[in-house]
Amino acid sequence: MNNNALTILGIETSCDETAAAIVQRTNDGQGIILSNIINSQIEKHKKYGGVVPEIAARSHISTIENVIKSSLNQAKMSFDDIDAIAVTAGPGLKGGLLVGLTTAKALSIAKNLPLVGINHLEAHALTIRLIKRIEFPYLLLLVSGGHTQILIVNDVGKYERLGTTIDDAVGEAYDKVAKLLNLGYPGGPIVEDYAKKGDSKKIKFPRPLIHSGDLNFSFSGLKTAVRREIEKSIPLTKKEAENICSSFQDSVISVIINKLEGSIKLFKIKNPNITKPNVVIAGGVASNKTIFNSIDTFSTRLGITLHVAPQDLCTDNGAMVAWAGAERFSKNYIDNLSIEVRPRWPLDPDAKTAIGAGVKA
Ligand code: KG4
Ligand code: ZN
């Protein structure tokens, strides 16, 4: 083991990316990415307009060995250079999680390396610390295909959920809008692109739960409103589709800014010594530059500093899992071989399950 740094292999298989990476964490908490390999299954799921769990699990099985080998090769390392293996143990699709965890357990036995089970959401939550020095506590807007939550990140393993979606996740809403408009999968980047060319004032979509008085989200009604709008004007011109995407995104952004404002107030009450909180956006939807820039415009008024990781670290990847493993391992959080996959695994165990949130709580 290098005295100055922990070297961690991270494995991610919770959804439709088979990913592995080697990341180092120095004693003073700095992160270095030595390799980051992703085998995306997008092409295999595209024609179904979403992830098919059985296809995902089979694809993980056939590619995981090569993805791990490539991560070692790219880092010019062997297992002798690795200090621990970190693997996503949940939440996510059970079949995929089992492939990753079983592989990690086998490697842990064969190579005599400690195993660190990672909550995929914690990996998104901590990614920002891989690239910059952000101290705890910070406020986190976690927006992905399966989750939409606002949390206070108090420390590694210590999360307080302030709000969550009570139905669809925001990324899921982007994917559904794209599907309704036949734009392809995954929908997020395409809808963002269409939105840039459209007029956000053309259609006034609802701003769900904006007056609810709590910090929860709901996107299912917005999706229905988009469907109705599309049905009204079928067949749509490209311009009409762009206007729908732009108006939809405008509604999403208004709700997010509204809920963030409430969360920042609460964060400041809970942390009176922090005058200018760090707010981090993470998860696949965090790669949406329009959302980031819109929130950032209000940063001064909100009294925050806004952060986001580079795009390739926002969507699912192995480096975020390796980094979360390094953060946990540095605190001696190690798992034994009896660890099991957890398809549901809330970051804040004390937070109530939101009504209608299905597997996304
Ligand atoms: O974190 P992630 O890679 O996987 C999950 O853990 O869910 O997030 C994937 C989600 C998908 O719903 C995708 O459409 C969305 O992130 N996404 C975006 C953008 N890029 C990816 N949503 C909005 N705008 C984007 N630019
Ligand atoms: Zn994710």
Side-chain angles (χ1 to χ4, degrees), residues 120 124 144 316 320:
H120 179 90
H124 278 305
S144 71
D316 292 349
M320 70 183 199

Side-chain angles (χ1 to χ4, degrees), residues 6 8 23-25 86 321-331:
L6 290 171
I8 309 289
V23 164
Q24 287 188 326
R25 184 184 187 277
V321 177
W323 174 252
E327 294 253 66
R328 290 188 77 80
F329 193 62
S330 70
K331 290 184 167 281

Side-chain angles (χ1 to χ4, degrees), residues 160-176:
E160 184 183 352
R161 198 190 75 194
L162 304 182
T164 183
T165 179
I166 59 166
D167 43 53
D168 293 354
V170 66
E172 195 179 357
Y174 271 86
D175 293 335
K176 285 179 180 169

Side-chain angles (χ1 to χ4, degrees), residues 5 12 36 109 111 143 162 176 179 190 197 207 218 285:
E12 158 64 33
N36 196 13
I109 297 167
K111 306 293 179 188
V143 274
L162 304 182
K176 285 179 180 169
K179 200 171 179 178
I190 314 169
K197 297 168 199 142
R207 267 87 173 124
S218 162
V285 184

Side-chain angles (χ1 to χ4, degrees), residues 65-115:
E65 192 183 335
N66 276 337
V67 169
I68 294 172
K69 275 187 187 154
S70 303
S71 72
L72 287 164
N73 289 342
Q74 193 179 77
K76 299 190 173 53
M77 285 187 161
S78 75
F79 276 102
D80 294 339
D81 304 302
I82 303 294
D83 296 310
I85 300 171
V87 59
T88 303
L93 298 172
K94 192 170 182 181
L97 291 170
L98 277 168
V99 176
L101 186 59
T102 311
T103 306
K105 282 182 181 177
L107 288 172
S108 157
I109 297 167
K111 306 293 179 188
N112 196 22
L113 288 169
L115 184 69

Side-chain angles (χ1 to χ4, degrees), residues 61 104 138 147 255 349:
I61 291 172
Y138 54 87
H147 296 85
V255 176

Side-chain angles (χ1 to χ4, degrees), residues 191-260:
V191 171
E192 181 187 9
D193 205 37
Y194 264 57
K196 277 187 196 140
K197 297 168 199 142
D199 178 355
S200 65
K201 305 286 172 261
K202 274 277 177 228
I203 309 145
K204 182 79 184 162
F205 283 126
R207 267 87 173 124
L209 299 190
I210 208 155
H211 299 299
S212 64
D214 61 20
L215 300 171
N216 288 336
F217 298 89
S218 162
F219 292 105
S220 143
L222 176 58
K223 168 196 72 193
T224 308
V226 170
R227 181 167 53 72
R228 290 216 182 97
E229 187 61 35
I230 293 169
E231 284 167 359
K232 261 200 272 175
S233 24
I234 280 175
L236 265 70
T237 61
K238 185 150 189 272
K239 189 81 257 156
E240 283 170 326
E242 287 166 356
N243 289 340
I244 288 176
C245 289
S246 193
S247 305
F248 158 78
Q249 184 161 275
D250 198 51
S251 166
V252 167
I253 290 171
S254 301
V255 176
I256 288 179
I257 290 176
N258 174 277
K259 300 293 172 176
L260 265 183

